[in-house]
Amino acid sequence: MIDLRHLATYFGPNPYASGPVVVASLRVSAGFIAEAAEKMTRVSQACAAWFAPPATEGPVDEAAVGRFIAHWALAALNEFGGGLTTALVIRATDDIRVALGFYHPKLSFDALALAAQLLADVDRLPASGFAEALQRFWQACQTINPDYQAQFLIDYARKHDLPYRRHVPGTRLWQFGWGGRSEIFFESSPMGDSARGQSWARDKALSKEIFRALGVPTAPSMIVRSEAELEQAARTVGFPCVTKPLDRG
């Protein structure tokens, strides 16, 4: 038996980590411990394309099960652009504590719960059921994880050891730094951007004309409204080239 219970959610620096984490209490029965090594091997084999299990030294115990669950949950969260880094296991007096980073706290706890469920049921769960559970989870990840623009800023923040978090759960607003010197971005756009600049940026052709008027070098481009115009556009722009919608990412 695996008993996993939510203990706390921290949105900033905390006793477990310097950034946001969900913390769960984990208890594993002696009967499960006896089967855990085989079960962990089966889950690892089923997820070999994207999951590398943590190394275990000595016999499998409750902490080893906790590490497996934490690392599996982290890998599952990161499979679609998550980029989270925190997955910790701490021995407490009466249980094992698992701390996992998050962009959305419920999603990270769901990842831990799914890891525990799949580990417990791997002997009797058909391959199709395993895959369906993962696909449902990954659909949720794709709506919550950072978009590629915010990911650029997150990668920079990590490189320079800057704290960051989602500013408002469920939105594309991200906060970098703590306190009065923190900055909030919508995707990769700072909140200090003007409304007019925002509207110009949503029309790429207009943006390029404004840059040209200011004397800013711009790459050659051509608006293509039909497939018949592609050949002329290729000659105008040359290769390599980028094709983008006029008014969105």
Side-chain angles (χ1 to χ4, degrees):
M1 181 195 74
I2 299 178
D3 182 20
L4 183 79
R5 302 187 183 188
H6 176 263
L7 284 183
T9 298
Y10 297 96
F11 286 86
N14 58 80
Y16 299 92
S18 60
V21 291
V22 292
V23 181
S25 165
L26 177 71
R27 289 186 174 90
V28 184
S29 68
F32 187 89
I33 291 292
E35 304 172 345
E38 182 180 349
K39 286 176 175 287
M40 290 192 294
T41 298
R42 295 190 64 176
V43 172
S44 299
Q45 290 171 344
C47 305
W50 54 271
F51 172 59
T56 57
E57 297 180 1
V60 172
D61 58 7
E62 200 172 36
V65 173
R67 273 192 299 275
F68 186 90
I69 287 173
H71 283 261
W72 189 97
L74 184 69
L77 285 165
N78 286 342
E79 179 63 8
F80 289 94
L84 293 165
T85 58
T86 302
L88 303 172
V89 173
I90 305 98
R91 289 184 183 272
T93 304
D94 299 321
D95 60 9
I96 295 294
R97 305 287 171 85
V98 179
L100 184 65
F102 69 79
Y103 296 125
H104 189 287
K106 183 179 183 302
L107 186 67
S108 282
F109 183 77
D110 286 348
L112 293 172
L114 181 59
Q117 176 196 340
L118 294 178
L119 190 58
D121 296 342
V122 67
D123 296 330
R124 54 184 179 272
L125 190 66
S128 59
F130 203 104
E132 287 169 8
L134 269 174
Q135 290 305 317
R136 286 194 299 270
F137 176 74
W138 280 335
Q139 285 174 1
C141 287
Q142 287 176 292
T143 64
I144 289 174
N145 282 349
D147 72 295
Y148 74 97
Q149 295 186 76
Q151 194 64 57
F152 290 132
L153 296 181
I154 289 170
D155 290 344
Y156 182 89
R158 286 203 187 106
K159 181 178 179 181
H160 294 276
D161 200 24
L162 299 173
Y164 65 91
R165 68 183 182 101
R166 193 185 293 272
H167 183 62
V168 178
T171 70
R172 289 182 285 174
L173 294 169
W174 294 87
Q175 176 181 331
F176 294 86
W178 305 131
R181 298 187 67 183
S182 64
E183 293 283 349
I184 297 170
F185 288 75
F186 175 80
E187 296 177 345
S188 58
S189 176
M191 298 302 285
D193 281 0
S194 67
R196 181 174 297 177
Q198 288 270 13
S199 66
W200 289 350
R202 294 186 184 279
D203 184 329
K204 294 181 179 62
L206 174 61
S207 296
K208 291 177 76 68
E209 291 303 320
I210 291 169
F211 285 136
R212 289 191 187 100
L214 293 172
V216 178
T218 64
S221 65
M222 176 177 169
I223 297 175
V224 175
R225 295 183 174 84
S226 70
E227 188 176 349
E229 296 176 313
L230 282 172
E231 187 176 346
Q232 177 59 44
R235 287 196 296 268
T236 300
V237 175
F239 290 95
C241 68
V242 176
T243 305
K244 297 191 73 175
L246 191 65
D247 61 347
R248 55 184 60 87

